[in-house]
């Protein structure tokens, strides 16, 4: 998304903007080595264990500026996933093991132990925003270690002297749970045994099943990255088996879109790994064309089987580099077509494919949920593609992520705006009336709200509230798993701020960012459900309170207030 090599500088010449001040307030103040050591010495070699703020990342090498709490209460709807964070920090090296049992109510009801996940968090190298998009040299950016990855399969390990080990706790409340207070204990064995009380207050409200969520989450998938990090052949049975774990995790977060490449490198190979086409194009000796959809069909069927089945976004007729690869039987090798988009040559090149692809999708029953998708492409190119598509079949759907263009708005079935733009209210209402989707996205351009490895975690929760406030239907982000060379240890990349290209880790392992994104999507759904209930029951007071709270969710307000403070202030309205 918006990975132009020509960079727009948001903060230049050392002048501090309100954005810089806000981000500085969200970070831990710098300490000298002597100051850090002095704080560790106050522990006198002792160990501390307790619940911490789930909206903060705690530096590995400094004593948390928080009091360790031995009890935590979470509030949840039935069917909701809620979380908290605890920490172990010590002035000496200790071996740590964390266990948890079922959470039980006084009535005898229980949230089973297997619905309470615990995992040690891992630290990864990050950098800073500064100038957003564009090529980067590591020496030009301040780097640090941040807690981000969550390894739910890892419940024990070594906490080194004068270090912090965060531990993430997630509770999946069953949809059929009885309302009431559930209590249990998390046991942490370190220098001694600690028992932390965990309570979950389950309200008599039910979150819809994930498959019924209205929120349109679109995190772009990168199949080749999975093959590379696991060292298996691309498109092998082993590759598909490994991808299932990642895509199932994504489906459970509410993902609605399949990212399908119909040409090689739709983003001009800006990623670390290849992005190959799912369709093989062949120009035969007699000049006719053939198209092999076997891999496309296998991949789409596979992704749908994981629960992601509402939209197939095909990238792209307008790639970042106009160079369409195909096999030429006369030449006996691969070659490329580079004709100008909208030219007679371009239309002649694409027309046979689009006609054949249309027939194939209709035969598979997928045409109605498929789009030709474009990412931040010029207006003239968009107009040309729309005209060509509609000439092939008037029912072709078009998706666009980019700036707002009134001239083509009605032709875009799935329109995702950059955060700097907004749909006019009348346009948004008309789009909803026509059954068209209206969403938004962030990328390397925005300092906030965002999902970099250095971003305040609550910004992903804020995204859900902002989506509801603007009456939009979802959020897009590049990317789910477009990993860098060593994603587990270093989230920095040759271009774009650290963590920009992935939200989860090889394993698969979730992250504090991904878990907070789920929280934001769930909050959107709760807002939607409550608004419907209030309208149906005529509870105008509650409806007006909720609507008034949503008006605070403007991006500019993040200059003066943290996302965590904004969200925590309004959470009682939905819980």
């Amino acid at each position: 998304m918006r990975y132009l090599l020509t960079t727009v500088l948001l903060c230049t010449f050392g002048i501090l903007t309100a954005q810089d001040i806000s981000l500085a307030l969200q970070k831990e103040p710098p300490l000298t080595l002597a100051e850090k050591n002095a704080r560790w010495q106050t522990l006198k070699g002792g160990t501390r264990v307790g619940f911490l703020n789930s909206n903060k990342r705690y530096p590995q090498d400094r004593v948390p500026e928080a009091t360790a709490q031995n009890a935590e209460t979470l509030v949840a709807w039935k069917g909701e996933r809620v979380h908290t964070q605890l920490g172990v920090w010590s002035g000496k090296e200790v071996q740590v093991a964390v266990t948890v049992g079922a959470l039980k109510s006084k009535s005898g009801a229980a949230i089973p132990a297997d619905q309470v996940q615990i995992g040690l968090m891992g630290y990864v190298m990050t950098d800073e925003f500064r100038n957003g998009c564009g090529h980067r040299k590591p020496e030009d950016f301040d780097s640090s270690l941040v807690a981000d990855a969550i390894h739910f399969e890892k419940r024990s390990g070594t906490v080194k002297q004068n270090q912090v080990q965060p531990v993430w706790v997630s509770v999946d409340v069953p949809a059929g749970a009885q309302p009431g207070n559930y209590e249990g204990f998390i046991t942490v064995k370190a220098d001694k045994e600690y028992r932390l009380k965990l309570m979950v207050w389950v309200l008599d409200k039910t979150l819809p099943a994930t498959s019924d969520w209205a929120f349109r989450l679109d995190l772009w998938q990168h199949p080749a990255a999975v093959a590379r990090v696991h060292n298996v052949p691309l498109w092998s049975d082993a590759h598909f088996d490994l991808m299932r774990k990642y895509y199932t995790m994504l489906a459970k977060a509410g993902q609605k879109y399949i990212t399908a490449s119909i040409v090689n490198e739709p983003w001009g190979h800006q990623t670390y790994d290849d992005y190959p086409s799912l369709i093989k194009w062949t120009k035969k000796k007699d000049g006719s064309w053939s198209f092999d959809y076997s891999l496309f069909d296998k991949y789409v069927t596979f992704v749908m089987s994981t629960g992601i089945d509402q939209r197939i976004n095909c990238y792209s007729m307008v790639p970042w580099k106009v160079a369409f690869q195909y096999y030429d039987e006369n030449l006996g090798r691969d070659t490329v077509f580079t004709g100008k988009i909208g030219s007679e040559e371009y239309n002649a090149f694409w027309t046979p494919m689009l006609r054949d692809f249309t027939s194939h999708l209709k035969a598979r029953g997928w045409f109605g949920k498929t789009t030709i998708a474009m990412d931040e492409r010029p207006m003239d190119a968009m107009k040309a593609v729309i005209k060509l598509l509609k000439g092939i079949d008037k029912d072709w759907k078009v998706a666009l992520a980019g700036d707002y263009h009134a001239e083509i708005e009605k032709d875009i079935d799935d329109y995702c705006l950059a955060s700097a733009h907004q749909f006019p209210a009348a346009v948004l209402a008309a789009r909803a009336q026509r059954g068209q989707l209206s969403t938004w996205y962030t990328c390397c351009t925005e300092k906030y709200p965002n999902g970099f490895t250095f971003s305040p975690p609550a910004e992903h929760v804020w995204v859900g509230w902002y989506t509801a406030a603007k009456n939009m239907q979802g959020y897009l982000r590049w990317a789910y798993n477009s990993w860098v060379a060593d994603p587990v240890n270093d989230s920095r990349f040759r271009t774009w701020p650290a963590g920009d290209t992935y939200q989860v880790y090889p394993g698969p392992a979730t992250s504090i960012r991904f878990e907070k994104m789920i929280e934001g999507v769930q909050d959107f759904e709760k807002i939607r459900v409550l608004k419907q209930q209030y309208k149906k029951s005529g509870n105008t007071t509650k409806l007006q309170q909720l609507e008034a709270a949503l008006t605070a969710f403007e991006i500019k307000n993040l200059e003066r207030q943290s996302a965590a403070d904004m969200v925590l202030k309004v959470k009682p309205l939905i819980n």
Side-chain angles (χ1 to χ4, degrees):
M1 303 297 299
R2 199 176 296 271
Y3 300 142
L4 292 173
L5 299 183
T6 55
T7 302
V8 178
L9 298 180
L10 300 180
C11 177
T12 59
F13 305 111
I15 299 172
L16 286 177
T17 66
Q19 295 183 8
D20 301 310
I21 295 170
S22 174
L23 194 64
L25 290 174
Q26 295 165 1
K27 289 184 176 181
E28 297 278 358
L31 292 178
T32 66
L33 180 60
E35 289 172 326
K36 291 178 183 178
N37 289 337
R39 294 191 179 187
W40 283 111
Q41 288 170 11
T42 62
L43 298 183
K44 298 179 180 179
T47 301
R48 300 289 185 271
V49 177
F51 288 107
L52 297 172
N53 187 344
S54 71
N55 287 316
K56 290 189 65 176
R57 290 188 174 93
Y58 292 89
Q60 188 180 47
D61 61 349
R62 59 191 294 179
V63 176
E65 295 182 356
T67 302
Q69 303 292 327
N70 61 10
E72 173 78 297
T73 300
L74 304 174
V75 181
W77 287 27
K78 293 181 286 185
E80 184 180 2
R81 182 182 180 90
V82 291
H83 47 241
T84 185
Q85 182 177 200
L86 62 91
V88 181
W89 59 100
S90 182
K92 61 183 178 182
E93 183 172 301
V94 292
Q95 299 300 313
V96 172
V98 188
T99 58
V100 66
L103 306 180
K104 299 179 180 179
S105 70
K106 291 182 179 179
S107 68
I111 298 175
D114 61 3
Q115 298 300 302
V116 184
Q117 292 181 290
I118 292 179
L120 272 59
M121 296 184 66
Y123 283 84
V124 64
M125 189 66 72
T126 190
D127 53 24
E128 59 182 337
F129 182 82
R130 199 178 297 177
N131 57 346
C133 309
H135 281 291
R136 299 183 153 223
K137 295 179 180 179
E139 60 269 24
D140 293 337
F141 294 84
D142 185 22
S143 297
S144 60
L145 283 173
V146 292
D148 193 54
I150 301 170
H151 302 282
F152 280 132
E153 80 288 351
K154 188 176 180 181
R155 294 190 173 190
S156 62
T158 301
V159 178
K160 295 183 179 180
Q161 182 181 12
N162 294 354
Q163 286 196 355
V164 179
Q165 176 58 67
V167 181
W168 195 260
V169 182
S170 286
V171 182
D172 291 301
V173 179
Q178 295 179 14
N181 191 39
Y182 293 76
E183 299 182 359
F185 290 92
I186 297 173
T187 301
V188 180
K189 292 183 178 179
D191 60 327
K192 63 179 182 179
E193 184 172 287
Y194 299 82
R195 278 167 61 84
L196 307 179
K197 190 174 185 179
L198 177 62
M199 296 168 283
V200 179
W201 184 257
V202 179
L203 304 176
D204 192 14
K205 299 176 181 177
T206 304
L207 195 68
T210 308
S211 58
D212 296 326
W213 289 355
F215 192 93
R216 308 289 296 198
L217 180 63
D218 186 11
L219 302 185
W220 294 354
Q221 309 100 54
H222 196 159
V226 177
R228 189 256 303 176
V229 299
H230 289 284
N231 195 28
V232 297
L234 185 67
W235 310 126
S236 65
D237 289 345
H239 182 206
F240 277 92
D241 288 343
L242 287 161
M243 283 195 294
R244 182 167 297 280
K245 301 173 185 177
Y246 293 96
Y247 287 54
T248 300
M249 187 166 76
L250 181 57
K252 289 181 179 178
Q255 175 76 9
K256 299 293 190 293
Y257 296 78
I258 300 171
T259 308
S261 53
I262 59 172
V263 299
N264 277 327
E265 302 300 339
W267 294 281
H269 213 306
Q270 298 183 79
T271 55
Y272 184 86
D273 292 293
D274 294 342
Y275 220 113
S277 176
L278 294 167
I279 299 172
K280 184 177 180 180
W281 299 48
T282 301
K283 188 173 185 180
K284 305 179 81 172
K285 290 183 177 181
D286 62 3
S288 64
W289 288 88
S290 68
F291 306 95
D292 184 351
Y293 303 110
S294 56
L295 180 56
F296 177 88
D297 291 350
K298 180 179 180 179
Y299 180 74
V300 170
T301 301
F302 158 76
V303 181
M304 287 185 175
S305 75
T306 69
I308 303 170
D309 58 5
Q310 294 195 18
R311 183 59 60 97
I312 308 167
N313 278 359
C314 297
Y315 293 91
S316 172
M317 289 178 64
V318 191
W320 281 74
K321 180 181 180 181
V322 181
F324 300 106
Q325 181 176 310
Y326 63 94
Y327 183 79
D328 190 315
E329 286 187 345
N330 280 316
L331 297 176
R333 58 176 172 80
D334 287 335
T335 187
V336 293
F337 172 81
T338 58
K340 182 181 178 181
I341 295 169
S343 65
E344 291 185 9
E345 294 80 9
Y346 175 90
N347 291 344
F349 177 81
W350 270 98
T351 294
M353 189 277 177
L354 289 173
R355 286 176 176 165
D356 196 69
F357 194 34
T358 301
S359 297
H360 180 77
L361 290 168
K362 288 181 176 180
R364 297 287 314 206
W366 294 341
F367 182 70
K369 62 177 62 178
T370 300
T371 74
I372 294 296
M374 269 71 71
D375 171 28
E376 297 176 342
R377 298 295 78 203
M379 169 72 78
D380 289 345
M382 289 300 304
K383 286 181 176 179
V385 167
I386 291 169
K387 182 179 179 180
L388 177 59
L389 278 170
K390 297 299 184 179
I392 299 295
D393 191 301
K394 65 180 179 60
D395 293 324
W396 256 112
K397 291 182 172 63
V398 178
L400 172 65
D403 297 343
Y404 180 69
H405 300 294
E407 302 94 317
I408 60 173
E409 172 269 318
K410 290 181 180 179
D411 295 314
I412 308 300
D413 298 272
D414 198 330
Y415 206 156
C416 186
L417 288 188
S419 70
H421 297 256
Q422 291 190 22
F423 292 100
V427 169
L428 200 59
R431 290 183 60 80
Q433 188 70 27
R434 295 194 297 265
Q436 294 177 316
L437 297 172
S438 307
T439 62
W440 69 293
Y441 72 91
T442 59
C443 60
C444 59
T445 301
E446 299 88 349
K447 181 177 290 186
Y448 59 79
N450 225 312
F452 307 124
T453 43
F454 55 78
S455 296
E459 288 188 3
H460 261 342
V461 186
W462 194 94
V463 161
W465 285 82
Y466 179 78
T467 307
K470 295 302 178 183
N471 292 314
M472 292 186 288
Q473 295 154 302
Y475 172 75
L476 176 155
R477 208 188 188 296
W478 168 270
Y480 178 58
N481 68 309
S482 190
W483 291 308
V484 294
D486 184 15
V488 174
N489 296 304
D490 193 341
S491 66
R492 297 172 298 176
F493 192 43
R494 61 178 178 253
T495 49
W496 325 319
D500 185 59
T501 67
Y502 63 102
Q503 298 293 307
V504 299
Y505 289 81
T510 184
S511 70
I512 187 172
R513 295 175 289 156
F514 192 64
E515 294 301 310
K516 285 295 177 178
M517 179 177 287
I518 294 172
E519 180 182 342
V521 174
Q522 290 179 151
D523 283 358
F524 174 95
E525 291 299 313
K526 289 156 89 172
I527 293 167
R528 179 179 66 85
V529 169
L530 288 174
K531 287 174 70 172
Q532 289 176 348
Q533 291 178 355
Y534 295 154
K535 290 177 181 177
K536 185 176 181 180
S537 64
N539 193 337
T540 56
T541 299
K542 289 286 189 181
L543 180 60
Q544 289 172 359
Q545 287 178 342
L546 188 52
E547 293 283 12
L550 288 170
T551 62
F553 285 85
E554 297 284 351
I555 292 175
K556 64 182 180 181
N557 289 344
L558 288 173
E559 296 177 2
R560 302 181 299 273
Q561 192 175 12
S562 73
D565 287 344
M566 291 182 69
V567 169
L568 290 174
K569 181 179 179 180
V570 295
K571 278 276 192 177
L573 293 176
I574 61 174
N575 286 335

